[in-house]
Amino acid sequence: MKLDENQKASQIQFDRQAALYGRTHILSDTSDLQRALQNSALPKYSPALDVATGAGHTAVFLAECGLDVTAVDLAPAMLKQTERLASEHGVKIHTMQSAAESLPGANGAFGLVTCRVAAHHFSDVPAFLREAHRVLRPGGRLLIIDGAAPDNAPVAEEWIHRVEKLRDPSHVRFLTPARWLQLTGEAGFEPLLCECTPFKQPDVEWYFRTAATSPDNRTQALDLIENAPDEARHTFRLGQEDGRIVWWWPRISLLAQRPGADA
Ligand SMILES: C[S@@+](CC[C@H](N)C(=O)[O-])C[C@H]1O[C@@H](n2cnc3c(N)ncnc32)[C@H](O)[C@@H]1O
């Protein structure tokens, strides 16, 4: 598989950090998936493709809902984590190494494509959306969940971009809800639900530890956090709890449909 520089950086980063993404990671809380998919009669959308599956929390959730799931990721160590989690949960998941920008599967092969907390690493989000559209059958659904920058808050958007890049240089960019709606529309999707909700992150020490941020980058990121402009402070609800810095991040859930007869 030929990877661009950005994909290589993500693969190295997540292969190195895979051990930290297991059962106890905050991503194991799948209430965001439950909320976004509560009105989708899920087994009807089988088979499903989970893109950038990480340690497989979304893939396992879908398999436990009765879908036949294929999970893809760039990082082989993450796919191993997915296989481990699936076996702990007693479900079967097909895993495959693949980039989001070039998905496996014939045209119309899937009823559901999911991508949770990963698209901000992608080199080419429009290419991913074109591929998601291609592999979905008419009436099939796309669910994207990701950290987001709020609409109309450019100072906060630039601030979180700089903090994230320092924390993990494989980060590309958080998109705003308006940009997600534009890009999914251009790829041929119709929106069914688009909501942005605040999500409480663990403290910043956890934030740096899970990404193995270098000491120098950590110092620079902490400086940005301590001197956050008002718009960022307000948007990310920066505060202190028991002497620890805590924050809330906007998280977008966008459910969209490939037009056509209901899958
Ligand atoms: C935070 S984890 C994903 C979490 C997971 N989706 C869940 O619900 O628990 C981010 C994952 O994105 C993967 N990734 C980053 N860029 C990618 C790309 N271009 N194509 C495929 N996977 C990618 C990384 O290897 C990593 O495993």
Side-chain angles (χ1 to χ4, degrees), residues 6-7 10-11 14-15 21 25 27-28 33 50-59 72-75 78 98-101 115-123:
N6 199 71
Q7 291 168 330
S10 284
Q11 186 185 55
F14 284 98
D15 267 340
Y21 278 78
H25 194 275
L27 289 167
S28 65
L33 291 165
D50 184 40
V51 179
T53 197
H57 300 292
T58 302
V72 299
D73 200 284
L74 280 178
M78 281 297 205
S98 170
E101 294 84 354
C115 181
R116 175 171 176 253
V117 191
H120 58 276
H121 288 282
F122 296 171
S123 310

PDB file of all heavy atoms in Angstrom, residues 6-7 10-11 14-15 21 25 27-28 33 50-59 72-75 78 98-101 115-123, ligand 1:
ATOM      1  N   ASN A   6       1.512  12.174   5.083  1.00  0.00           N
ATOM      2  CA  ASN A   6       0.607  12.326   6.206  1.00  0.00           C
ATOM      3  C   ASN A   6       0.083  10.972   6.710  1.00  0.00           C
ATOM      4  O   ASN A   6      -0.006  10.714   7.914  1.00  0.00           O
ATOM      5  CB  ASN A   6      -0.551  13.217   5.769  1.00  0.00           C
ATOM      6  CG  ASN A   6      -1.209  13.753   6.976  1.00  0.00           C
ATOM      7  OD1 ASN A   6      -0.641  14.591   7.643  1.00  0.00           O
ATOM      8  ND2 ASN A   6      -2.358  13.208   7.279  1.00  0.00           N
ATOM      9  N   GLN A   7      -0.265  10.128   5.762  1.00  0.00           N
ATOM     10  CA  GLN A   7      -0.730   8.785   6.141  1.00  0.00           C
ATOM     11  C   GLN A   7       0.383   8.019   6.855  1.00  0.00           C
ATOM     12  O   GLN A   7       0.125   7.319   7.837  1.00  0.00           O
ATOM     13  CB  GLN A   7      -1.194   8.030   4.888  1.00  0.00           C
ATOM     14  CG  GLN A   7      -2.477   8.594   4.278  1.00  0.00           C
ATOM     15  CD  GLN A   7      -2.753   8.040   2.892  1.00  0.00           C
ATOM     16  OE1 GLN A   7      -1.820   7.699   2.150  1.00  0.00           O
ATOM     17  NE2 GLN A   7      -4.024   7.974   2.527  1.00  0.00           N
ATOM     18  N   SER A  10       0.558   9.188  10.432  1.00  0.00           N
ATOM     19  CA  SER A  10      -0.530   8.634  11.250  1.00  0.00           C
ATOM     20  C   SER A  10      -0.258   7.167  11.578  1.00  0.00           C
ATOM     21  O   SER A  10      -0.474   6.720  12.702  1.00  0.00           O
ATOM     22  CB  SER A  10      -1.867   8.700  10.497  1.00  0.00           C
ATOM     23  OG  SER A  10      -2.351   9.997  10.505  1.00  0.00           O
ATOM     24  N   GLN A  11       0.209   6.452  10.576  1.00  0.00           N
ATOM     25  CA  GLN A  11       0.464   5.021  10.797  1.00  0.00           C
ATOM     26  C   GLN A  11       1.528   4.828  11.889  1.00  0.00           C
ATOM     27  O   GLN A  11       1.362   4.017  12.801  1.00  0.00           O
ATOM     28  CB  GLN A  11       0.918   4.383   9.482  1.00  0.00           C
ATOM     29  CG  GLN A  11       1.060   2.887   9.562  1.00  0.00           C
ATOM     30  CD  GLN A  11       1.630   2.338   8.269  1.00  0.00           C
ATOM     31  OE1 GLN A  11       2.691   2.766   7.813  1.00  0.00           O
ATOM     32  NE2 GLN A  11       0.927   1.404   7.677  1.00  0.00           N
ATOM     33  N   PHE A  14       0.038   5.858  15.393  1.00  0.00           N
ATOM     34  CA  PHE A  14      -0.960   4.962  16.000  1.00  0.00           C
ATOM     35  C   PHE A  14      -0.422   3.548  16.199  1.00  0.00           C
ATOM     36  O   PHE A  14      -0.869   2.856  17.122  1.00  0.00           O
ATOM     37  CB  PHE A  14      -2.268   5.010  15.210  1.00  0.00           C
ATOM     38  CG  PHE A  14      -3.032   6.271  15.497  1.00  0.00           C
ATOM     39  CD1 PHE A  14      -2.960   7.362  14.648  1.00  0.00           C
ATOM     40  CD2 PHE A  14      -3.775   6.392  16.663  1.00  0.00           C
ATOM     41  CE1 PHE A  14      -3.625   8.546  14.935  1.00  0.00           C
ATOM     42  CE2 PHE A  14      -4.448   7.574  16.963  1.00  0.00           C
ATOM     43  CZ  PHE A  14      -4.373   8.652  16.094  1.00  0.00           C
ATOM     44  N   ASP A  15       0.526   3.131  15.393  1.00  0.00           N
ATOM     45  CA  ASP A  15       1.163   1.843  15.691  1.00  0.00           C
ATOM     46  C   ASP A  15       1.878   1.925  17.038  1.00  0.00           C
ATOM     47  O   ASP A  15       1.821   1.020  17.852  1.00  0.00           O
ATOM     48  CB  ASP A  15       2.168   1.463  14.590  1.00  0.00           C
ATOM     49  CG  ASP A  15       1.516   0.596  13.514  1.00  0.00           C
ATOM     50  OD1 ASP A  15       0.461  -0.012  13.791  1.00  0.00           O
ATOM     51  OD2 ASP A  15       2.052   0.535  12.401  1.00  0.00           O
ATOM     52  N   TYR A  21      -5.163   2.374  23.504  1.00  0.00           N
ATOM     53  CA  TYR A  21      -6.511   2.628  22.960  1.00  0.00           C
ATOM     54  C   TYR A  21      -7.512   1.513  23.271  1.00  0.00           C
ATOM     55  O   TYR A  21      -8.569   1.449  22.656  1.00  0.00           O
ATOM     56  CB  TYR A  21      -6.427   2.877  21.453  1.00  0.00           C
ATOM     57  CG  TYR A  21      -6.037   4.313  21.149  1.00  0.00           C
ATOM     58  CD1 TYR A  21      -4.717   4.736  21.256  1.00  0.00           C
ATOM     59  CD2 TYR A  21      -6.993   5.256  20.813  1.00  0.00           C
ATOM     60  CE1 TYR A  21      -4.365   6.055  21.019  1.00  0.00           C
ATOM     61  CE2 TYR A  21      -6.657   6.581  20.578  1.00  0.00           C
ATOM     62  CZ  TYR A  21      -5.340   6.963  20.681  1.00  0.00           C
ATOM     63  OH  TYR A  21      -4.994   8.281  20.457  1.00  0.00           O
ATOM     64  N   HIS A  25      -9.945   3.124  27.316  1.00  0.00           N
ATOM     65  CA  HIS A  25      -9.858   4.422  26.638  1.00  0.00           C
ATOM     66  C   HIS A  25     -11.229   5.091  26.602  1.00  0.00           C
ATOM     67  O   HIS A  25     -12.262   4.406  26.576  1.00  0.00           O
ATOM     68  CB  HIS A  25      -9.330   4.205  25.216  1.00  0.00           C
ATOM     69  CG  HIS A  25      -8.891   5.468  24.554  1.00  0.00           C
ATOM     70  ND1 HIS A  25      -9.768   6.299  23.891  1.00  0.00           N
ATOM     71  CD2 HIS A  25      -7.680   6.061  24.458  1.00  0.00           C
ATOM     72  CE1 HIS A  25      -9.095   7.340  23.407  1.00  0.00           C
ATOM     73  NE2 HIS A  25      -7.832   7.218  23.743  1.00  0.00           N
ATOM     74  N   LEU A  27     -12.766   6.280  24.281  1.00  0.00           N
ATOM     75  CA  LEU A  27     -13.534   5.896  23.082  1.00  0.00           C
ATOM     76  C   LEU A  27     -14.364   4.636  23.308  1.00  0.00           C
ATOM     77  O   LEU A  27     -15.225   4.305  22.492  1.00  0.00           O
ATOM     78  CB  LEU A  27     -12.582   5.701  21.893  1.00  0.00           C
ATOM     79  CG  LEU A  27     -11.969   6.997  21.361  1.00  0.00           C
ATOM     80  CD1 LEU A  27     -10.812   6.701  20.421  1.00  0.00           C
ATOM     81  CD2 LEU A  27     -13.024   7.842  20.660  1.00  0.00           C
ATOM     82  N   SER A  28     -14.117   3.932  24.419  1.00  0.00           N
ATOM     83  CA  SER A  28     -14.943   2.742  24.696  1.00  0.00           C
ATOM     84  C   SER A  28     -16.355   3.145  25.152  1.00  0.00           C
ATOM     85  O   SER A  28     -17.249   2.308  25.206  1.00  0.00           O
ATOM     86  CB  SER A  28     -14.275   1.839  25.739  1.00  0.00           C
ATOM     87  OG  SER A  28     -14.211   2.527  26.962  1.00  0.00           O
ATOM     88  N   LEU A  33     -22.461   6.958  19.643  1.00  0.00           N
ATOM     89  CA  LEU A  33     -22.945   6.116  18.533  1.00  0.00           C
ATOM     90  C   LEU A  33     -24.410   5.746  18.748  1.00  0.00           C
ATOM     91  O   LEU A  33     -25.219   5.792  17.824  1.00  0.00           O
ATOM     92  CB  LEU A  33     -22.107   4.828  18.448  1.00  0.00           C
ATOM     93  CG  LEU A  33     -20.661   5.003  17.989  1.00  0.00           C
ATOM     94  CD1 LEU A  33     -19.846   3.761  18.287  1.00  0.00           C
ATOM     95  CD2 LEU A  33     -20.624   5.316  16.497  1.00  0.00           C
ATOM     96  N   ASP A  50     -16.375   0.089   8.898  1.00  0.00           N
ATOM     97  CA  ASP A  50     -15.911   1.081   9.875  1.00  0.00           C
ATOM     98  C   ASP A  50     -14.518   1.551   9.453  1.00  0.00           C
ATOM     99  O   ASP A  50     -13.572   0.761   9.418  1.00  0.00           O
ATOM    100  CB  ASP A  50     -15.891   0.488  11.293  1.00  0.00           C
ATOM    101  CG  ASP A  50     -15.506   1.539  12.321  1.00  0.00           C
ATOM    102  OD1 ASP A  50     -15.974   2.703  12.174  1.00  0.00           O
ATOM    103  OD2 ASP A  50     -14.728   1.232  13.234  1.00  0.00           O
ATOM    104  N   VAL A  51     -14.407   2.820   9.131  1.00  0.00           N
ATOM    105  CA  VAL A  51     -13.176   3.391   8.563  1.00  0.00           C
ATOM    106  C   VAL A  51     -12.332   4.022   9.672  1.00  0.00           C
ATOM    107  O   VAL A  51     -12.861   4.755  10.509  1.00  0.00           O
ATOM    108  CB  VAL A  51     -13.540   4.456   7.497  1.00  0.00           C
ATOM    109  CG1 VAL A  51     -12.292   5.087   6.914  1.00  0.00           C
ATOM    110  CG2 VAL A  51     -14.397   3.831   6.395  1.00  0.00           C
ATOM    111  N   ALA A  52     -11.029   3.740   9.642  1.00  0.00           N
ATOM    112  CA  ALA A  52     -10.111   4.211  10.684  1.00  0.00           C
ATOM    113  C   ALA A  52     -10.616   3.697  12.033  1.00  0.00           C
ATOM    114  O   ALA A  52     -10.895   4.471  12.945  1.00  0.00           O
ATOM    115  CB  ALA A  52      -9.968   5.730  10.651  1.00  0.00           C
ATOM    116  N   THR A  53     -10.699   2.407  12.129  1.00  0.00           N
ATOM    117  CA  THR A  53     -11.367   1.738  13.249  1.00  0.00           C
ATOM    118  C   THR A  53     -10.623   1.865  14.573  1.00  0.00           C
ATOM    119  O   THR A  53     -11.207   1.652  15.634  1.00  0.00           O
ATOM    120  CB  THR A  53     -11.598   0.257  12.899  1.00  0.00           C
ATOM    121  OG1 THR A  53     -12.571  -0.293  13.764  1.00  0.00           O
ATOM    122  CG2 THR A  53     -10.316  -0.570  12.961  1.00  0.00           C
ATOM    123  N   GLY A  54      -9.327   2.207  14.528  1.00  0.00           N
ATOM    124  CA  GLY A  54      -8.565   2.313  15.778  1.00  0.00           C
ATOM    125  C   GLY A  54      -8.607   0.977  16.509  1.00  0.00           C
ATOM    126  O   GLY A  54      -8.414  -0.094  15.913  1.00  0.00           O
ATOM    127  N   ALA A  55      -8.910   1.024  17.806  1.00  0.00           N
ATOM    128  CA  ALA A  55      -8.956  -0.215  18.590  1.00  0.00           C
ATOM    129  C   ALA A  55     -10.311  -0.914  18.464  1.00  0.00           C
ATOM    130  O   ALA A  55     -10.597  -1.863  19.197  1.00  0.00           O
ATOM    131  CB  ALA A  55      -8.637   0.084  20.049  1.00  0.00           C
ATOM    132  N   GLY A  56     -11.167  -0.440  17.560  1.00  0.00           N
ATOM    133  CA  GLY A  56     -12.370  -1.200  17.209  1.00  0.00           C
ATOM    134  C   GLY A  56     -13.617  -0.931  18.036  1.00  0.00           C
ATOM    135  O   GLY A  56     -14.580  -1.698  17.966  1.00  0.00           O
ATOM    136  N   HIS A  57     -13.655   0.166  18.792  1.00  0.00           N
ATOM    137  CA  HIS A  57     -14.823   0.400  19.656  1.00  0.00           C
ATOM    138  C   HIS A  57     -16.110   0.558  18.843  1.00  0.00           C
ATOM    139  O   HIS A  57     -17.159   0.035  19.222  1.00  0.00           O
ATOM    140  CB  HIS A  57     -14.592   1.611  20.553  1.00  0.00           C
ATOM    141  CG  HIS A  57     -13.394   1.450  21.447  1.00  0.00           C
ATOM    142  ND1 HIS A  57     -13.357   0.529  22.477  1.00  0.00           N
ATOM    143  CD2 HIS A  57     -12.177   2.041  21.441  1.00  0.00           C
ATOM    144  CE1 HIS A  57     -12.172   0.585  23.072  1.00  0.00           C
ATOM    145  NE2 HIS A  57     -11.444   1.494  22.456  1.00  0.00           N
ATOM    146  N   THR A  58     -16.025   1.268  17.717  1.00  0.00           N
ATOM    147  CA  THR A  58     -17.220   1.438  16.869  1.00  0.00           C
ATOM    148  C   THR A  58     -17.567   0.118  16.185  1.00  0.00           C
ATOM    149  O   THR A  58     -18.739  -0.281  16.130  1.00  0.00           O
ATOM    150  CB  THR A  58     -16.961   2.536  15.815  1.00  0.00           C
ATOM    151  OG1 THR A  58     -16.633   3.742  16.509  1.00  0.00           O
ATOM    152  CG2 THR A  58     -18.166   2.763  14.932  1.00  0.00           C
ATOM    153  N   ALA A  59     -16.552  -0.555  15.674  1.00  0.00           N
ATOM    154  CA  ALA A  59     -16.784  -1.821  14.962  1.00  0.00           C
ATOM    155  C   ALA A  59     -17.451  -2.845  15.882  1.00  0.00           C
ATOM    156  O   ALA A  59     -18.405  -3.527  15.480  1.00  0.00           O
ATOM    157  CB  ALA A  59     -15.448  -2.352  14.440  1.00  0.00           C
ATOM    158  N   VAL A  72     -11.423  -1.161   8.853  1.00  0.00           N
ATOM    159  CA  VAL A  72     -10.147  -0.862   8.197  1.00  0.00           C
ATOM    160  C   VAL A  72      -9.404   0.238   8.950  1.00  0.00           C
ATOM    161  O   VAL A  72     -10.012   1.095   9.593  1.00  0.00           O
ATOM    162  CB  VAL A  72     -10.345  -0.448   6.714  1.00  0.00           C
ATOM    163  CG1 VAL A  72     -10.991  -1.547   5.916  1.00  0.00           C
ATOM    164  CG2 VAL A  72     -11.138   0.853   6.584  1.00  0.00           C
ATOM    165  N   ASP A  73      -8.097   0.187   8.843  1.00  0.00           N
ATOM    166  CA  ASP A  73      -7.240   1.200   9.473  1.00  0.00           C
ATOM    167  C   ASP A  73      -5.877   1.137   8.779  1.00  0.00           C
ATOM    168  O   ASP A  73      -5.515   0.104   8.202  1.00  0.00           O
ATOM    169  CB  ASP A  73      -7.073   0.912  10.975  1.00  0.00           C
ATOM    170  CG  ASP A  73      -6.620   2.135  11.755  1.00  0.00           C
ATOM    171  OD1 ASP A  73      -5.411   2.487  11.680  1.00  0.00           O
ATOM    172  OD2 ASP A  73      -7.459   2.746  12.446  1.00  0.00           O
ATOM    173  N   LEU A  74      -5.134   2.230   8.892  1.00  0.00           N
ATOM    174  CA  LEU A  74      -3.771   2.258   8.343  1.00  0.00           C
ATOM    175  C   LEU A  74      -2.779   1.500   9.212  1.00  0.00           C
ATOM    176  O   LEU A  74      -1.762   1.021   8.717  1.00  0.00           O
ATOM    177  CB  LEU A  74      -3.269   3.708   8.329  1.00  0.00           C
ATOM    178  CG  LEU A  74      -3.679   4.660   7.234  1.00  0.00           C
ATOM    179  CD1 LEU A  74      -3.057   6.014   7.525  1.00  0.00           C
ATOM    180  CD2 LEU A  74      -3.214   4.136   5.900  1.00  0.00           C
ATOM    181  N   ALA A  75      -3.059   1.438  10.506  1.00  0.00           N
ATOM    182  CA  ALA A  75      -2.055   0.973  11.468  1.00  0.00           C
ATOM    183  C   ALA A  75      -2.291  -0.495  11.848  1.00  0.00           C
ATOM    184  O   ALA A  75      -3.291  -0.817  12.499  1.00  0.00           O
ATOM    185  CB  ALA A  75      -2.093   1.850  12.716  1.00  0.00           C
ATOM    186  N   MET A  78      -3.186  -1.254  15.465  1.00  0.00           N
ATOM    187  CA  MET A  78      -4.563  -0.918  15.826  1.00  0.00           C
ATOM    188  C   MET A  78      -5.503  -2.042  15.385  1.00  0.00           C
ATOM    189  O   MET A  78      -6.442  -2.393  16.105  1.00  0.00           O
ATOM    190  CB  MET A  78      -4.980   0.404  15.189  1.00  0.00           C
ATOM    191  CG  MET A  78      -4.460   1.609  15.930  1.00  0.00           C
ATOM    192  SD  MET A  78      -5.155   1.694  17.611  1.00  0.00           S
ATOM    193  CE  MET A  78      -5.048   3.421  17.946  1.00  0.00           C
ATOM    194  N   SER A  98      -6.166  -0.550   5.319  1.00  0.00           N
ATOM    195  CA  SER A  98      -6.568   0.291   4.183  1.00  0.00           C
ATOM    196  C   SER A  98      -6.605   1.747   4.628  1.00  0.00           C
ATOM    197  O   SER A  98      -6.883   2.049   5.786  1.00  0.00           O
ATOM    198  CB  SER A  98      -7.952  -0.142   3.702  1.00  0.00           C
ATOM    199  OG  SER A  98      -8.455   0.785   2.775  1.00  0.00           O
ATOM    200  N   ALA A  99      -6.353   2.619   3.664  1.00  0.00           N
ATOM    201  CA  ALA A  99      -6.477   4.056   3.929  1.00  0.00           C
ATOM    202  C   ALA A  99      -7.914   4.486   3.678  1.00  0.00           C
ATOM    203  O   ALA A  99      -8.588   3.939   2.798  1.00  0.00           O
ATOM    204  CB  ALA A  99      -5.538   4.839   3.021  1.00  0.00           C
ATOM    205  N   ALA A 100      -8.352   5.488   4.412  1.00  0.00           N
ATOM    206  CA  ALA A 100      -9.708   6.024   4.255  1.00  0.00           C
ATOM    207  C   ALA A 100      -9.919   6.601   2.864  1.00  0.00           C
ATOM    208  O   ALA A 100     -11.036   6.631   2.357  1.00  0.00           O
ATOM    209  CB  ALA A 100      -9.929   7.125   5.293  1.00  0.00           C
ATOM    210  N   GLU A 101      -8.826   7.069   2.262  1.00  0.00           N
ATOM    211  CA  GLU A 101      -8.937   7.743   0.972  1.00  0.00           C
ATOM    212  C   GLU A 101      -9.043   6.757  -0.184  1.00  0.00           C
ATOM    213  O   GLU A 101      -9.215   7.157  -1.335  1.00  0.00           O
ATOM    214  CB  GLU A 101      -7.705   8.654   0.760  1.00  0.00           C
ATOM    215  CG  GLU A 101      -7.602   9.826   1.732  1.00  0.00           C
ATOM    216  CD  GLU A 101      -6.940   9.481   3.073  1.00  0.00           C
ATOM    217  OE1 GLU A 101      -6.649   8.272   3.329  1.00  0.00           O
ATOM    218  OE2 GLU A 101      -6.715  10.404   3.883  1.00  0.00           O
ATOM    219  N   CYS A 115     -17.243   6.449  10.628  1.00  0.00           N
ATOM    220  CA  CYS A 115     -15.888   6.952  10.825  1.00  0.00           C
ATOM    221  C   CYS A 115     -15.919   7.841  12.062  1.00  0.00           C
ATOM    222  O   CYS A 115     -16.526   8.915  12.040  1.00  0.00           O
ATOM    223  CB  CYS A 115     -15.440   7.733   9.599  1.00  0.00           C
ATOM    224  SG  CYS A 115     -13.767   8.352   9.791  1.00  0.00           S
ATOM    225  N   ARG A 116     -15.329   7.370  13.138  1.00  0.00           N
ATOM    226  CA  ARG A 116     -15.464   8.062  14.428  1.00  0.00           C
ATOM    227  C   ARG A 116     -14.101   8.506  14.963  1.00  0.00           C
ATOM    228  O   ARG A 116     -13.174   7.689  15.094  1.00  0.00           O
ATOM    229  CB  ARG A 116     -16.154   7.099  15.410  1.00  0.00           C
ATOM    230  CG  ARG A 116     -16.278   7.588  16.841  1.00  0.00           C
ATOM    231  CD  ARG A 116     -17.168   6.613  17.590  1.00  0.00           C
ATOM    232  NE  ARG A 116     -17.317   6.894  18.983  1.00  0.00           N
ATOM    233  CZ  ARG A 116     -16.750   6.173  19.960  1.00  0.00           C
ATOM    234  NH1 ARG A 116     -15.982   5.133  19.686  1.00  0.00           N
ATOM    235  NH2 ARG A 116     -16.970   6.495  21.208  1.00  0.00           N
ATOM    236  N   VAL A 117     -14.013   9.778  15.269  1.00  0.00           N
ATOM    237  CA  VAL A 117     -12.830  10.383  15.889  1.00  0.00           C
ATOM    238  C   VAL A 117     -11.539  10.015  15.125  1.00  0.00           C
ATOM    239  O   VAL A 117     -10.568   9.532  15.703  1.00  0.00           O
ATOM    240  CB  VAL A 117     -12.745  10.028  17.392  1.00  0.00           C
ATOM    241  CG1 VAL A 117     -11.677  10.878  18.103  1.00  0.00           C
ATOM    242  CG2 VAL A 117     -14.091  10.261  18.076  1.00  0.00           C
ATOM    243  N   ALA A 118     -11.566  10.234  13.834  1.00  0.00           N
ATOM    244  CA  ALA A 118     -10.400   9.903  13.005  1.00  0.00           C
ATOM    245  C   ALA A 118     -10.222  10.836  11.808  1.00  0.00           C
ATOM    246  O   ALA A 118      -9.091  11.031  11.363  1.00  0.00           O
ATOM    247  CB  ALA A 118     -10.529   8.464  12.500  1.00  0.00           C
ATOM    248  N   ALA A 119     -11.310  11.409  11.290  1.00  0.00           N
ATOM    249  CA  ALA A 119     -11.204  12.138  10.017  1.00  0.00           C
ATOM    250  C   ALA A 119     -10.262  13.337  10.105  1.00  0.00           C
ATOM    251  O   ALA A 119      -9.724  13.777   9.083  1.00  0.00           O
ATOM    252  CB  ALA A 119     -12.592  12.588   9.560  1.00  0.00           C
ATOM    253  N   HIS A 120     -10.029  13.838  11.339  1.00  0.00           N
ATOM    254  CA  HIS A 120      -9.099  14.978  11.466  1.00  0.00           C
ATOM    255  C   HIS A 120      -7.653  14.574  11.169  1.00  0.00           C
ATOM    256  O   HIS A 120      -6.767  15.423  11.158  1.00  0.00           O
ATOM    257  CB  HIS A 120      -9.213  15.624  12.858  1.00  0.00           C
ATOM    258  CG  HIS A 120      -8.952  14.687  13.987  1.00  0.00           C
ATOM    259  ND1 HIS A 120      -9.904  13.849  14.508  1.00  0.00           N
ATOM    260  CD2 HIS A 120      -7.825  14.451  14.704  1.00  0.00           C
ATOM    261  CE1 HIS A 120      -9.387  13.143  15.502  1.00  0.00           C
ATOM    262  NE2 HIS A 120      -8.122  13.490  15.633  1.00  0.00           N
ATOM    263  N   HIS A 121      -7.421  13.268  10.936  1.00  0.00           N
ATOM    264  CA  HIS A 121      -6.078  12.821  10.526  1.00  0.00           C
ATOM    265  C   HIS A 121      -5.970  12.610   9.020  1.00  0.00           C
ATOM    266  O   HIS A 121      -4.873  12.327   8.527  1.00  0.00           O
ATOM    267  CB  HIS A 121      -5.736  11.482  11.200  1.00  0.00           C
ATOM    268  CG  HIS A 121      -5.465  11.600  12.661  1.00  0.00           C
ATOM    269  ND1 HIS A 121      -4.275  12.063  13.171  1.00  0.00           N
ATOM    270  CD2 HIS A 121      -6.244  11.334  13.726  1.00  0.00           C
ATOM    271  CE1 HIS A 121      -4.332  12.074  14.487  1.00  0.00           C
ATOM    272  NE2 HIS A 121      -5.519  11.634  14.853  1.00  0.00           N
ATOM    273  N   PHE A 122      -7.096  12.676   8.305  1.00  0.00           N
ATOM    274  CA  PHE A 122      -7.058  12.265   6.900  1.00  0.00           C
ATOM    275  C   PHE A 122      -6.370  13.310   6.028  1.00  0.00           C
ATOM    276  O   PHE A 122      -6.558  14.508   6.193  1.00  0.00           O
ATOM    277  CB  PHE A 122      -8.471  12.013   6.360  1.00  0.00           C
ATOM    278  CG  PHE A 122      -9.194  10.859   7.025  1.00  0.00           C
ATOM    279  CD1 PHE A 122     -10.545  10.637   6.770  1.00  0.00           C
ATOM    280  CD2 PHE A 122      -8.539   9.986   7.888  1.00  0.00           C
ATOM    281  CE1 PHE A 122     -11.219   9.584   7.376  1.00  0.00           C
ATOM    282  CE2 PHE A 122      -9.205   8.931   8.499  1.00  0.00           C
ATOM    283  CZ  PHE A 122     -10.549   8.736   8.232  1.00  0.00           C
ATOM    284  N   SER A 123      -5.603  12.806   5.055  1.00  0.00           N
ATOM    285  CA  SER A 123      -4.923  13.688   4.104  1.00  0.00           C
ATOM    286  C   SER A 123      -5.930  14.359   3.201  1.00  0.00           C
ATOM    287  O   SER A 123      -5.724  15.491   2.769  1.00  0.00           O
ATOM    288  CB  SER A 123      -4.019  12.887   3.161  1.00  0.00           C
ATOM    289  OG  SER A 123      -3.204  12.048   3.848  1.00  0.00           O
TER     290      SER A 123
HETATM  291  C1  LIG B   1      -8.589   7.743  17.513  1.00  0.00           C
HETATM  292  S1  LIG B   1      -8.390   6.398  16.469  1.00  0.00           S
HETATM  293  C2  LIG B   1     -10.029   5.956  15.916  1.00  0.00           C
HETATM  294  C3  LIG B   1     -11.021   5.569  16.944  1.00  0.00           C
HETATM  295  C4  LIG B   1     -12.077   4.593  16.488  1.00  0.00           C
HETATM  296  N1  LIG B   1     -12.701   4.967  15.243  1.00  0.00           N
HETATM  297  C5  LIG B   1     -13.145   4.361  17.570  1.00  0.00           C
HETATM  298  O1  LIG B   1     -14.342   4.583  17.343  1.00  0.00           O
HETATM  299  O2  LIG B   1     -12.724   3.935  18.668  1.00  0.00           O
HETATM  300  C6  LIG B   1      -7.796   7.123  14.963  1.00  0.00           C
HETATM  301  C7  LIG B   1      -7.408   6.068  13.939  1.00  0.00           C
HETATM  302  O3  LIG B   1      -7.358   6.654  12.634  1.00  0.00           O
HETATM  303  C8  LIG B   1      -6.411   5.928  11.890  1.00  0.00           C
HETATM  304  N2  LIG B   1      -6.098   6.706  10.679  1.00  0.00           N
HETATM  305  C9  LIG B   1      -5.541   7.939  10.628  1.00  0.00           C
HETATM  306  N3  LIG B   1      -5.467   8.349   9.339  1.00  0.00           N
HETATM  307  C10 LIG B   1      -6.007   7.368   8.579  1.00  0.00           C
HETATM  308  C11 LIG B   1      -6.238   7.210   7.178  1.00  0.00           C
HETATM  309  N4  LIG B   1      -5.897   8.153   6.305  1.00  0.00           N
HETATM  310  N5  LIG B   1      -6.815   6.062   6.746  1.00  0.00           N
HETATM  311  C12 LIG B   1      -7.159   5.079   7.634  1.00  0.00           C
HETATM  312  N6  LIG B   1      -6.957   5.168   8.966  1.00  0.00           N
HETATM  313  C13 LIG B   1      -6.394   6.301   9.429  1.00  0.00           C
HETATM  314  C14 LIG B   1      -5.278   5.750  12.858  1.00  0.00           C
HETATM  315  O4  LIG B   1      -4.390   4.722  12.480  1.00  0.00           O
HETATM  316  C15 LIG B   1      -6.043   5.465  14.161  1.00  0.00           C
HETATM  317  O5  LIG B   1      -6.141   4.081  14.393  1.00  0.00           O
END
